[in-house]
Amino acid sequence: MPEIFRNTRTRFAPSPSGRLHLGHAYSALVAWQAAGCDANRFLLRIDDIDSSRCKDEFTDHLIDDLQWLGISWNQPPLYQSARRQRYDAALAWLESEKLVYPCHLSRKEYEASLTAPQDSQNSPPVPNTALHHTAVPALRLDMDRALAQIKLKNQSLIWQTHTGDAITADPRSLGNVVLGRRNSPASYHLSVVIDDADSQIDLVVRGDDLRASTDLHCLLQTLLGLPSPLYHHHELICDQTGQRLAKRDKARSLATYRENGLTINDVKSLLPPIKLL
Ligand code: GLU
């Protein structure tokens, strides 16, 4: 075990919206290795804020699959669905600081407003949020204002990889992302930074597809005064056509492998070797 991982506390945070597949198994096993295969340093978090997609039965299945992989945890799992108040408070604070604003446009309308011709070529697109007063507004990050505040306070947006490389975050291209909605749960981006900080996670292990999101998470951590963990973005597991595995891809679900009598070692042999450094 490399020295830098000696006391690392990490987590695996699946959404219970389907059965776990090989990609999840890889992510969980990399995190488990980084925690030194120590149940005291590995947290299971259930990312179940989106109640329209998540089901308790999938939570039961994923716990069973992880245990089958030989992964264990000593603390009870953390359920995001139980933490709404915590996210709401952060959202309310961001709104009071005018770092988020209510936007009544649907996603489609919002995107169209960004590409619509502007009066002045230099001014950023301003969505007409006065439209559609009846809709529940999305609470969007005011990216320009957030970055201006960072600059004003002379803060830097830097996150670190697990090997100690410092990465300058550049979240601007992600735009005014939705951080929540009134009377409904916070977005993944907001909940994840709050949960990782509250759970004292010092290494986040997740797929390479979330690398760009880490720039945004770094910005949110800085705005909210939260610590930034180290990040290890591992390679993604793809099918023969080079497509990322999805939960609907039943053929590679752990359940299917288990039903077909494969052992843990058979499953591990289908995965790339785990290299932490
Ligand atoms: N629930 C998220 C996912 O399954 C977690 C991502 C993360 O580890 O931050 O993609």
Side-chain angles (χ1 to χ4, degrees), residues 48-142:
D48 59 350
I49 29 174
D50 184 352
S51 57
S52 63
R53 291 190 316 121
C54 298
K55 289 204 179 98
D56 289 347
E57 67 182 82
F58 291 129
T59 302
D60 296 342
H61 286 313
L62 73 86
I63 287 177
D64 189 45
D65 281 339
L66 292 173
Q67 286 171 339
W68 180 76
L69 285 170
I71 296 175
S72 55
W73 47 92
N74 282 345
Q75 251 184 283
L78 190 76
Y79 288 82
Q80 286 196 326
S81 53
R83 292 174 46 77
R84 286 270 304 266
Q85 285 183 341
R86 179 76 175 96
Y87 312 139
D88 287 351
L91 210 46
W93 182 82
L94 287 168
E95 204 179 353
S96 72
E97 294 289 304
K98 300 198 167 35
L99 292 166
V100 302
Y101 65 94
C103 172
H104 291 265
L105 301 184
S106 69
R107 188 157 80 178
K108 249 186 164 165
E109 289 166 333
Y110 176 78
E111 279 161 12
S113 77
L114 295 180
T115 48
Q118 299 297 307
D119 292 337
S120 151
Q121 288 211 321
N122 296 325
S123 62
V126 180
N128 180 2
T129 51
L131 292 173
H132 307 288
H133 274 304
T134 49
V136 178
L139 296 170
R140 288 187 177 272
L141 175 70
D142 186 332

Side-chain angles (χ1 to χ4, degrees), residues 11 13-15 45 47 188 192 204-206 210:
R11 49 66 165 184
S15 294
R45 190 176 76 222
D47 281 4
Y188 155 71
V192 75
V204 167
V205 172
R206 59 189 183 193
L210 288 167

Side-chain angles (χ1 to χ4, degrees), residues 161-237:
T161 68
H162 65 304
T163 50
D165 293 330
I167 310 290
T168 302
D170 186 8
R172 186 178 290 278
S173 62
L174 295 169
N176 293 0
V177 280
V178 174
L179 293 187
R181 257 164 228 285
R182 281 207 215 290
N183 307 321
S184 76
S187 75
Y188 155 71
H189 298 299
L190 185 64
S191 57
V192 75
V193 295
I194 295 175
D195 291 341
D196 286 332
D198 288 359
S199 322
Q200 281 129 27
I201 296 301
D202 38 38
L203 172 67
V204 167
V205 172
R206 59 189 183 193
D208 212 26
D209 53 330
L210 288 167
R211 190 178 288 265
S213 297
T214 301
D215 284 4
L216 173 63
H217 297 176
C218 176
L219 170 62
L220 293 176
Q221 284 152 355
T222 310
L223 294 172
L224 292 165
L226 299 174
S228 187
L230 303 179
Y231 288 90
H232 175 30
H233 299 104
H234 59 72
E235 65 184 282
L236 297 176
I237 308 298

